[in-house]
Amino acid sequence: MKPLSEKPTYTIKQVADRTGLSRQVLRKWEERYEVVVPQRLANGYRVYREEDVQLFLLMKRYSEEGFALSQSAKMAKSKRTSAQESEPEDTYQDTILRELLHHGTNCDELELNLLLQTAYHRLGLELYLQQIVIPFLKKVGDNWESGTWSEYQEALSSLVVRDQLVQVRRNFQYREGSPILLGACLPFELHEIPVHIILLQLMLRGWRTVMIGASPALGAIQSFVEKIRPDKVLLSASTTLPFETHPGFIAELDRFAGSCPDIKFYLGGHGSLLLSNQLKLTHIHLIESIDEV
């Protein structure tokens, strides 16, 4: 840590590059939470010390650990000296997540791809999903919901993750004779990334998986089932949109499941659980965890 008497040398752009935070967020944190008080040049430009950069990084770390921004700011300011010096070194996971968020902020598709590939090869599939992909996607969603990120930043980062997961699934080696599981979003359901993650987790348990993409056409699920005759079918509804847009669809699919007694059908996701008391399913099993599959 450099002393407070150090002459400020960093511009707000340089602080943004160091921390992975946008200039808009830096200004908001200064004005709303007073985490740092930068000096200003005669022309009004902000200038920062190394200590200011470290305080921003510490507040960012606390917020990524789940603390509210107001609490993160208080914790960061209370540890200006000794606590900062005793902060443990970043883990590999912390470093990768911070860099992913930085490149997502900058919409750097190439760097996002390279980081995700590196993490996958270093950690292996299970840890890669649990320690990198899922935490990153949660932070991407939080940034978009809070307004820290634009829709374009959120969409680009999500698409890069989706493409990476698709590539991993395509290159996964199956044992001969592995049971087949068909995974699908319901019609009008656009959230396919959770399905990719779940199918990869099931592949680690010995399943060979086939995926139907987001918002399949009405009748597409039945056609796929008739064509490949999977052992199990896992359906996903992250929202209630499929049930609201085509109310009779799930009843039709439930009747179809009843005509395939040798195939087990499962339905999960937040949207389906919200309407669990209204769905009246006979042949499709409503589940809360892939352990039930």
Side-chain angles (χ1 to χ4, degrees):
M1 181 71 68
K2 296 184 180 180
L4 282 173
S5 58
E6 173 203 21
K7 183 178 179 180
T9 57
Y10 297 108
T11 65
I12 192 169
K13 181 180 184 303
Q14 291 171 322
V15 176
D17 291 338
R18 285 279 306 275
T19 61
L21 298 166
S22 69
R23 282 175 278 187
Q24 179 183 7
V25 169
L26 292 172
R27 287 192 290 266
K28 182 184 295 185
W29 285 9
E30 291 171 21
E31 296 164 4
R32 182 173 299 176
Y33 305 108
E34 298 181 341
V35 64
V36 302
V37 182
Q39 293 189 20
R40 290 181 180 268
L41 301 178
N43 57 12
Y45 289 164
R46 292 170 165 86
V47 284
Y48 301 83
R49 298 183 177 89
E50 176 65 25
E51 182 186 52
D52 298 330
V53 177
Q54 296 303 319
L55 282 171
F56 278 127
L57 286 170
L58 189 55
M59 180 175 171
K60 178 184 176 183
R61 175 184 293 180
Y62 288 135
S63 69
E64 289 174 348
E65 291 174 354
F67 293 98
L69 287 176
S70 58
Q71 183 66 20
S72 298
K74 290 179 182 178
M75 294 167 65
K77 289 187 287 186
S78 71
K79 296 189 176 182
R80 291 178 184 273
T81 53
S82 59
Q84 279 190 334
E85 295 169 358
S86 64
E87 280 289 316
E89 293 184 3
D90 283 351
T91 64
Y92 176 74
Q93 175 192 5
D94 294 330
T95 301
I96 292 296
L97 288 175
R98 183 173 63 250
E99 293 183 11
L100 285 170
L101 290 167
H102 171 68
H103 294 306
T105 300
N106 295 334
C107 297
D108 193 330
E109 184 175 355
L110 176 61
E111 289 297 331
L112 285 170
N113 270 302
L114 291 174
L115 276 173
L116 288 168
Q117 289 175 8
T118 300
Y120 170 60
H121 289 300
R122 173 165 176 170
L123 296 174
L125 181 54
E126 186 169 10
L127 292 179
Y128 172 66
L129 294 174
Q130 293 295 332
Q131 296 184 7
I132 304 298
V133 172
I134 294 174
F136 177 55
L137 288 172
K138 287 181 178 179
K139 189 61 181 177
V140 167
D142 290 343
N143 284 350
W144 176 79
E145 187 175 13
S146 67
T148 305
W149 274 17
S150 67
E151 185 175 348
Y152 179 72
Q153 290 168 311
E154 183 273 337
L156 176 68
S157 296
S158 297
L159 287 172
V160 170
V161 172
R162 186 202 65 180
D163 291 346
Q164 287 276 339
L165 298 178
V166 169
Q167 183 178 357
V168 172
R169 286 190 57 250
R170 287 175 176 170
N171 295 329
F172 196 90
Q173 298 297 311
Y174 298 101
R175 289 188 177 90
E176 186 176 353
S178 296
I180 300 175
L181 184 142
L182 173 65
C185 298
L186 293 184
F188 315 106
E189 175 64 51
L190 302 176
H191 297 69
E192 65 177 291
I193 292 180
V195 182
H196 285 292
I197 293 173
I198 290 171
L199 293 187
L200 284 167
Q201 292 172 327
L202 288 167
M203 287 160 60
L204 289 169
R205 304 185 185 193
W207 288 90
R208 178 181 177 183
T209 65
V210 180
M211 171 77 179
I212 303 179
S215 191
L218 294 172
I221 295 173
Q222 293 93 317
S223 297
F224 265 81
V225 170
E226 291 172 342
K227 182 176 181 179
I228 68 174
R229 303 303 299 181
D231 297 270
K232 297 187 178 183
V233 177
L234 178 60
L235 307 169
S236 172
S238 298
T239 71
T240 58
L241 188 61
F243 313 107
E244 296 164 352
T245 307
H246 195 292
F249 170 77
I250 194 64
E252 295 172 11
L253 196 56
D254 190 53
R255 287 192 291 271
F256 174 77
S259 70
C260 307
D262 57 326
I263 302 174
K264 292 184 178 180
F265 287 73
Y266 302 90
L267 172 63
H270 183 64
S272 60
L273 295 176
L274 284 175
L275 300 179
S276 59
N277 294 330
Q278 305 174 32
L279 294 180
K280 310 298 182 183
L281 299 174
T282 302
H283 306 288
I284 299 176
H285 306 283
L286 195 63
I287 61 171
E288 297 184 20
S289 166
I290 62 171
D291 291 328
E292 298 176 61
V293 177

